[in-house]
Amino acid sequence: MSTQSAQCATTVVKALTDIVGAAWRRSGIVLAAASVALILPAGNCRAESSKTSTKSNTCVACHRTAETAKEFAPWAQDQFLHWYGAVHGQKAVTCEKCHGGDPKHPDKNGAHRDIVPSRDTKSPVYFKNLPETCGKCHKAVSDQFATSKHYRELKDDRLAPSCTTCHGFEMDVGSVNPLQLAGRCSLCHNTDDPGVKPEVAEAARKALEHVLDTERELEQAVIAVGLLGDGSSCAARIMLRIDEGKRQLRLSSRHWHAFDLDAFEKELTAVRSIAEQARKEALAKIGAEKP
C-alpha cells in the first residue's frame, strides 16, 4: 500500500469511528433505558474526565489507524468501534485502564510492555479477574457481586458468569435489555439441566422489565404532582415521598448484582406502591381521581 493510500485509509477509519460513535450517542444505544443506569450506577473511577481528549493516548491514536486495524480479525476491530462509541469511550476510560500498558510510550513495544493475552490468568481482563478489574471503578457493583453464589463459583473454577457474561465484551456496557439478559442467563439456566434452575432466566427478564414499570409509575406520580401547580401546599409533601421512592429504587441495585431476585422484586413492589399512592393523592387533590 502506498503512503498516500495508507493515509487515505486511516482517514476513512477515523471518520468511521467518529460517525459510529456519534450515531450511537444520538440513538441512545449506550444507555438503552434509564433502568440500566439505576442497576448499573456510574463508576467512581479516577479515570480521565469525559472532557479530556484521548488524542494524547498512544493506544487510541494507534488503534484508530487503518494500518493497525488490518492486523486484527474483524471481531477485534469491532471491539474498538464498540468502545469508541460507548460510555467507556465517551468517559475516556482508555485501553490501559483495563489491559495495562503504557499509553504515553511512542512505540508499539513500549506501549504494550507488561500486557499479557486475556487468556493468561495474570491478565486483568482474564474472565476470573474481571470483577476486581471492573471493581476499580464500579466498586459498589463489584462488592455486591462478591456476595453472590456466582462469584464464589467463579473463584472456585466452576462454570459461572463474570461481568462480560451479562454486559458483553464489546465495551458498550449498559445496553443489555430484558430479552438479551434472559438469553444470557439461559446459557446456564436452561431445561437441559433442571438442577441449575431453568426458571431463573425468565425471572431475571421479568425483574428487569419491572424496573421499567417502576420508573414509569414514578414518572406518572411526578406528572400528577405537577398538575397541582407550584402554589399547592401538598405538592412538596407528595414530592418528598416520590423522592424517597426514587432513593429506594436506586438502593435496590444492591440486590440485583447479588442475584437476589426475590429481595429485588420485593423492593420494586414497595417503590411501585409509593408511586401509586403519591399519584392517587395528587389526582385526588385536583379532583381528577375517578371513583
Side-chain angles (χ1 to χ4, degrees):
M1 181 183 291
S2 67
T3 301
Q4 184 176 4
S5 297
Q7 291 175 341
C8 181
T10 295
T11 301
V12 171
V13 170
K14 289 182 178 180
L16 177 61
T17 53
D18 288 337
I19 291 169
V20 170
W24 284 357
R25 286 190 281 272
R26 285 197 303 271
S27 66
I29 291 177
V30 172
L31 288 177
S35 61
V36 178
L38 291 170
I39 62 175
L40 269 177
N44 188 27
C45 186
R46 293 183 179 180
E48 302 169 72
S49 111
S50 57
K51 296 180 181 179
T52 302
S53 173
T54 58
K55 290 182 179 179
S56 61
N57 186 294
T58 58
C59 304
V60 177
C62 181
H63 281 261
R64 286 184 68 179
T65 67
E67 288 300 313
T68 300
K70 72 178 184 180
E71 297 180 14
F72 296 98
W75 68 267
Q77 299 173 24
D78 191 52
Q79 278 191 313
F80 181 82
L81 289 175
H82 273 279
W83 169 82
Y84 190 84
V87 64
H88 284 142
Q90 294 175 48
K91 297 295 184 181
V93 182
T94 43
C95 314
E96 79 285 353
K97 302 294 192 304
C98 300
H99 295 274
D102 184 355
K104 296 181 180 179
H105 206 285
D107 67 70
K108 177 180 177 180
N109 291 334
H112 285 199
R113 185 182 298 120
D114 299 328
I115 295 180
V116 294
S118 59
R119 62 181 177 277
D120 190 308
T121 58
K122 296 183 180 64
S123 170
V125 292
Y126 181 63
F127 75 103
K128 288 181 63 173
N129 300 333
L130 283 173
E132 288 70 37
T133 299
C134 299
K136 289 188 296 184
C137 292
H138 303 279
K139 186 178 186 305
V141 171
S142 179
D143 288 348
Q144 293 157 12
F145 180 60
T147 67
S148 71
K149 183 179 179 181
H150 282 160
Y151 180 83
R152 293 192 296 273
E153 292 190 344
L154 180 69
K155 295 302 180 179
D156 288 340
D157 288 326
R158 300 183 63 185
L159 183 63
S162 189
C163 308
T164 53
T165 308
C166 295
H167 298 293
F169 62 86
E170 301 93 347
M171 300 299 289
D172 53 349
V173 173
S175 63
V176 63
N177 63 46
L179 287 176
Q180 285 177 323
L181 180 67
R184 290 167 184 175
C185 293
S186 66
L187 292 173
C188 293
H189 296 280
N190 55 64
T191 54
D192 292 340
D193 184 359
V196 294
K197 301 180 179 179
E199 68 276 6
V200 165
E202 180 65 9
R205 180 190 67 79
K206 289 182 177 179
L208 196 53
E209 287 182 344
H210 290 166
V211 176
L212 296 171
D213 294 339
T214 303
E215 290 173 332
R216 280 192 288 267
E217 290 273 5
L218 287 167
E219 184 59 31
Q220 288 171 4
V222 170
I223 292 172
V225 171
L227 295 175
L228 289 172
D230 296 335
S232 173
S233 59
C234 66
R237 176 175 54 79
I238 299 175
M239 274 305 303
L240 285 175
R241 295 220 311 273
I242 295 174
D243 289 340
E244 173 61 19
K246 291 180 178 180
R247 187 186 74 85
Q248 289 186 29
L249 181 57
R250 288 192 296 272
L251 290 176
S252 70
S253 67
R254 67 186 185 275
H255 299 304
W256 180 255
H257 284 96
F259 296 91
D260 188 345
L261 295 182
D262 289 339
F264 186 63
E265 286 280 23
K266 185 176 180 180
E267 291 212 8
L268 291 181
T269 299
V271 174
R272 284 199 297 273
S273 177
I274 290 173
E276 182 180 8
Q277 292 174 13
R279 177 179 59 82
K280 286 184 175 180
E281 181 177 350
L283 291 175
K285 292 294 183 182
I286 59 176
E289 183 73 353
K290 296 181 180 180

